[in-house]
Amino acid sequence: MKERNPPGSGLRIRGEFFRSDPVTCARGLIGAEIHWKGCGGVIVETEAYSVRDDPACHTFSRPSSRAFVAGHPPGTAYVYLNYGVHWLLNFLVKGGEEDGFVLIRALEPTRGLAAMRRRRGVEARKKLCSGPGKLTQAFGIDRAQHGYDFTKGDSLRLVLGGAIPRVATGPRIGISKAVDLPWRFVLAGSDCLSAPL
DNA sequence: GATGCGATTCAC
DNA sequence: TGAATCGCATCA
């Protein structure tokens, strides 16, 4: 495989990036890279969750989630346990037109494949990070990262020099409320998605 | 495609 | 104390 985009390359994503609104951030993160614990991956699937008028957002029914929004800067990781089994990674969006979260749903692995395979217990590259619970397991992300400000490090980067990612949009999946909002974003043609769009 | 798994938060 | 929950792996 061709070596590309080592850690530290590309444009660092700063806090201002997360000071707009969840939909803008979710779309804008497609094609960006996450580097963490020696592993790297291109974000190929995200979902937006809005504090305002979005029953599927944690803040809608969870006071602790609203307190988290109030008490942390934009770009902070919001990590929670789903179904008692899987850690899910979100980034806090606040201070702009609309507050909310971006859920990272799938990555295309680029670095640290051996460590990912070790943590995941599977070999196929396409299956290492093709789901929100899979990617946190592959990257070793859990409650220890809840509240960590990812814009303070080199972990989030926009890749320069490549083709502008073609982003497709569809309804969010895995939820029971507000299912009609087209707030799921994917890198068109990626074979590492959690499900077809 | 159906089913078992099982932590955390919040409401009752 | 109980209900609900923003998946995944393992079956068939």
Side-chain angles (χ1 to χ4, degrees):
Chain A
M1 186 192 306
K2 191 167 61 174
E3 177 73 14
R4 61 170 193 178
N5 305 328
S9 67
L11 181 66
R12 184 179 149 197
I13 297 179
R14 300 180 179 280
E16 293 79 64
F17 180 89
F18 294 98
R19 202 169 283 133
S20 51
D21 67 87
V23 169
T24 298
C25 288
R27 176 182 284 274
L29 281 174
I30 297 295
E33 282 210 15
I34 295 180
H35 287 281
W36 186 254
K37 288 186 177 178
C39 295
V42 176
I43 299 173
V44 296
E45 181 175 342
T46 63
E47 283 179 359
Y49 289 86
S50 176
V51 165
R52 185 162 60 85
D53 297 334
D54 182 6
C57 187
H58 271 192
T59 53
F60 192 81
S61 56
R62 288 160 83 140
S64 61
S65 181
R66 293 192 285 272
F68 183 92
V69 174
H72 293 82
T76 303
Y78 179 81
V79 183
Y80 69 92
L81 192 62
N82 182 245
Y83 290 96
V85 184
H86 310 285
W87 294 101
L88 269 60
L89 172 64
N90 301 255
F91 293 116
L92 174 61
V93 178
K94 70 177 284 193
E97 314 223 331
E98 187 114 6
D99 294 351
F101 297 99
V102 176
L103 170 66
I104 307 300
R105 285 195 56 90
L107 304 170
E108 179 187 328
T110 56
R111 294 184 64 87
L113 285 268
M116 291 188 195
R117 291 191 167 103
R118 190 166 59 245
R119 295 195 190 100
R120 288 274 294 122
V122 300
E123 284 298 313
R125 197 176 91 104
K126 290 191 291 189
K127 292 186 171 185
L128 288 176
C129 298
S130 57
K134 296 178 185 179
L135 69 92
T136 55
Q137 185 183 29
F139 275 67
I141 290 173
D142 58 23
R143 69 183 346 149
Q145 278 69 53
H146 185 55
Y148 178 79
D149 184 355
F150 274 75
T151 66
K152 282 187 172 169
D154 260 2
S155 298
L156 285 177
R157 298 204 152 261
L158 292 173
V159 179
L160 303 178
I164 296 176
R166 201 163 73 78
V167 180
T169 304
R172 297 177 292 184
I173 58 182
I175 59 174
S176 54
K177 304 164 189 168
V179 293
D180 52 324
L181 291 173
W183 284 359
R184 179 186 179 214
F185 302 94
V186 307
L187 181 63
S190 172
D191 58 356
C192 295
L193 303 180
S194 66
L197 186 66

